[in-house]
Amino acid sequence: MTAYERDLPRPSKTRTVTVAHAGGEERRGPVALGQANMIRCMLRDEPEHINIHAVWPVPAGTRTDAVIDALRTLVVRHEALRTTFPRAAGAAEDAVPREQAVAAGGEFTVTVLDHDEPPPDPERYADAVARRARAGRFRLDRDFGLRISLVTVGGAPVFVALAASHAVTDVSALAVLEEDWRALLTGRPLPPQTAFTPLDLAAEEASPAGLRKSAASLRYWERIIRTGPQAMCDGPGAEGTGIATPEVTLRSLRGARALARVAARTGGLPSTVLLTAWCALVAHRTGQSVCVAAVPTSNRFHDRLVRSVNTVSQDALLALDVRVPSFDALLAKAWGAALDAYRHSRFDAVALWETIDRTTFERGSRFARDVVFNDVSALPGAGGSGPAPEGPDLELGRGPVQVLPTRLLAFVHETEPLLRIGLWADPALFAPGEAEGFLTGLVRLLEAAAEGDVPLASLTGATGVRPVERGPDWVRVDGCWVSPAAVADALGGALGGVPVHVVADGSGEGLTAFVASGGGAPPTPAEAHAALMRVLPGRPGVLAPRRYVCVQDPPEEADRTDAWLRQRILTEGNGRTPAI
């Protein structure tokens, strides 16, 4: 929580309105895959990290009772807002519920925060109110899924600020709710209900076709985790998993115009063009040959998911090979790679993590979800209006700091008439000004691609973004950047400080670790591998050796591979069971 959130301007009056609702249909059934995925995260993560929030500006002249009546109508219209997750008898508190229950009626509360005068920067104030409401855990078996505050000035509604349980809504669902709420306030007709309800989606997922899709998704993920980079951001300083990261914001007419011109020149969709430019620049900055990124919003590609009020928060995992000569060649590959990711974004989260754990143990890595690209610009109410836009050519700003489990996160809020992006870049990897330079470089890449095809080898000059500098010890092994010295330090520490020497083989396929006993009984390869895997999370520059060679004593010249080879080998192997 920021200092601003802790010390918000005090309202002159605060009251709580209890709102009753009735007329819905009572239903019950299994949880959907996305719900189970997010509930698992809610039970594990801190609430301010996993709960979400939104701020809805209230149209001028709207009365408080009209705002509340519209909220009541939303709750009756959308089953997700009447859903709780009962705990099975005898189930542990951290067990993911298997069922969801939809109530026919009930009640919720709205906290009205009235101010005599508008708070300084009212929109920022409303955002801080919503963020502060994220801090408490939602009790899944009983709590209403929204914590709603209504900010008023002199009794007149100005903003709805709400925090939401990620078990019942995601960012896309909140956008649908806002669009419906605005329609109710302005007298526009609501669109027909054709989207999946959570129970409808759960039934479709449990069908034979749905089960085949889920199984195919697991195979798709396993292939990427087994063969792609274990992490995109694996340079010096990439340690730890909870990272306090400041937001950098971009607002740019130049960027939007360039994006439109690239789309017109190439015939590509603007969303695909932007994704291609992002992947090209991320791969260039990180020195990777494949851009692996989570693209969460994109799993709503099915017609009946686009307007679903539900949590469909399961990653589409994109793996785009950038080993092509130019931007246009990469764009030609990007749509197919993105479609492949979208089609494989529905899975059983527990089964996926079992797959990840098994695959990473066998490979000797720890998969890092460290690059996320979330394009919400096509969601209802996301922005984009007016034939004569006003805005800056290119403006960079700062937003609040958030603790994130990722190292590079982008939210694309708008692509026309402004290009509007929020970026969170790990400050341990991006020096002051580099995050801003990355966003400026993205605009420069779009402008260059608007004029013609851009050789990917020229990205430094075209964008001003330089690849990360790794020391001479770093090598590419099994598709990953690895520091053998860091592997030796991690393995030696995991085994209690025994001498370890690690070397990459000449083919780039793997590492060999020489392990001495340190005075006691030498570890077996299986013991060495298991010990290293226990300390691997949060150390993306460390990849487990393909071969462990255990000897009694280290050589005098412990930094020389040939000296270790002259030692008597007691045991050797890959340390995996079953062997790979």
Side-chain angles (χ1 to χ4, degrees), residues 59-141:
T62 304
R63 293 175 291 108
T64 295
D65 58 354
V67 171
I68 292 174
D69 285 344
L71 291 170
R72 178 190 289 109
T73 300
L74 291 183
V75 174
V76 176
R77 175 177 167 86
H78 295 291
E79 287 188 0
L81 301 185
R82 295 181 277 114
T83 296
T84 53
F85 302 89
R87 186 187 303 163
E93 290 193 6
D94 60 352
V96 175
R98 295 178 177 272
E99 282 195 313
Q100 57 182 309
V102 180
E107 61 184 31
F108 62 94
T109 60
V110 177
T111 301
V112 181
L113 307 173
D114 190 43
H115 299 259
D116 294 331
E117 299 291 338
D121 196 345
E123 186 170 3
R124 183 187 179 199
Y125 167 78
D127 185 77
V129 168
R131 285 181 182 275
R132 191 168 62 176
R134 290 168 57 162
R137 291 191 184 276
F138 282 90
R139 294 171 297 180
L140 294 166
D141 59 342

Side-chain angles (χ1 to χ4, degrees), residues 52-329:
I52 56 177
H53 76 283
V55 173
W56 300 347
V58 180
T62 304
R63 293 175 291 108
T64 295
D65 58 354
V67 171
I68 292 174
D69 285 344
L71 291 170
R72 178 190 289 109
T73 300
L74 291 183
V75 174
V76 176
R77 175 177 167 86
H78 295 291
E79 287 188 0
L81 301 185
R82 295 181 277 114
T83 296
T84 53
F85 302 89
R87 186 187 303 163
E93 290 193 6
D94 60 352
V96 175
R98 295 178 177 272
E99 282 195 313
Q100 57 182 309
V102 180
E107 61 184 31
F108 62 94
T109 60
V110 177
T111 301
V112 181
L113 307 173
D114 190 43
H115 299 259
D116 294 331
E117 299 291 338
D121 196 345
E123 186 170 3
R124 183 187 179 199
Y125 167 78
D127 185 77
V129 168
R131 285 181 182 275
R132 191 168 62 176
R134 290 168 57 162
R137 291 191 184 276
F138 282 90
R139 294 171 297 180
L140 294 166
D141 59 342
R142 67 183 78 172
D143 281 358
F144 180 65
L146 302 177
R147 296 178 184 141
I148 307 172
S149 296
L150 178 60
V151 179
T152 63
V153 176
V158 181
F159 289 104
V160 169
L162 56 86
S165 164
H166 221 326
V168 298
T169 62
D170 55 20
V171 172
S172 301
L174 289 180
V176 173
L177 289 174
E178 181 181 6
E179 188 178 66
D180 282 0
W181 176 77
R182 284 183 171 278
L184 290 166
L185 292 179
T186 56
R188 291 182 284 114
L190 292 173
Q193 289 277 62
T194 59
F196 278 130
T197 66
L199 284 171
D200 293 338
L201 180 57
E204 196 271 343
E205 290 169 345
S207 69
L211 293 174
R212 287 194 297 272
K213 288 180 182 178
S214 182
S217 294
L218 294 181
R219 293 191 297 270
Y220 171 87
W221 276 71
E222 179 173 353
R223 176 178 59 79
I224 294 173
I225 294 167
R226 193 176 289 280
T227 62
Q230 64 174 346
M232 291 297 295
C233 301
D234 53 14
E239 296 182 0
T241 53
I243 304 153
T245 309
E247 181 187 16
V248 178
T249 60
L250 168 74
R251 297 173 67 243
S252 176
L253 284 173
R254 280 172 47 194
R257 291 165 180 160
L259 177 59
R261 295 204 312 273
V262 181
R265 182 183 69 79
T266 62
L269 294 172
S271 59
T272 308
V273 170
L274 185 59
L275 177 63
T276 303
W278 166 264
C279 289
L281 204 57
V282 168
H284 172 70
R285 171 63 172 74
T286 59
Q288 302 284 10
S289 58
V290 179
C291 181
V292 175
V295 280
T297 305
S298 303
N299 60 9
R300 285 178 173 261
F301 68 97
H302 191 290
D303 287 345
R304 295 191 66 187
L305 290 177
V306 173
R307 293 189 56 83
S308 177
V309 174
N310 186 8
T311 185
V312 194
S313 288
Q314 295 189 277
D315 283 341
L317 187 65
L318 174 71
L320 180 58
D321 192 328
V322 301
R323 287 172 292 190
V324 292
S326 68
F327 182 88
D328 287 7

Side-chain angles (χ1 to χ4, degrees), residues 346-368:
R346 187 188 300 179
F347 44 79
D348 181 323
V350 173
L352 176 63
W353 278 106
E354 290 173 350
T355 298
I356 290 174
D357 288 343
R358 172 178 51 81
T359 302
T360 55
F361 184 86
E362 293 172 358
R363 189 184 186 190
S365 66
R366 176 55 59 183
F367 171 69

Side-chain angles (χ1 to χ4, degrees), residues 4 40 56 90 134 182 200 258 263 292-293 305 311 351 390 398 402-403 415 429 443 452 482 497 524 539 545 562:
Y4 184 83
R40 181 180 178 277
W56 300 347
R134 290 168 57 162
R182 284 183 171 278
D200 293 338
V292 175
L305 290 177
T311 185
E390 295 182 2
R398 284 272 173 167
Q402 292 195 54
V403 176
T415 57
L429 300 177
V443 172
V482 180
T524 66
R539 308 174 80 157
D562 58 346

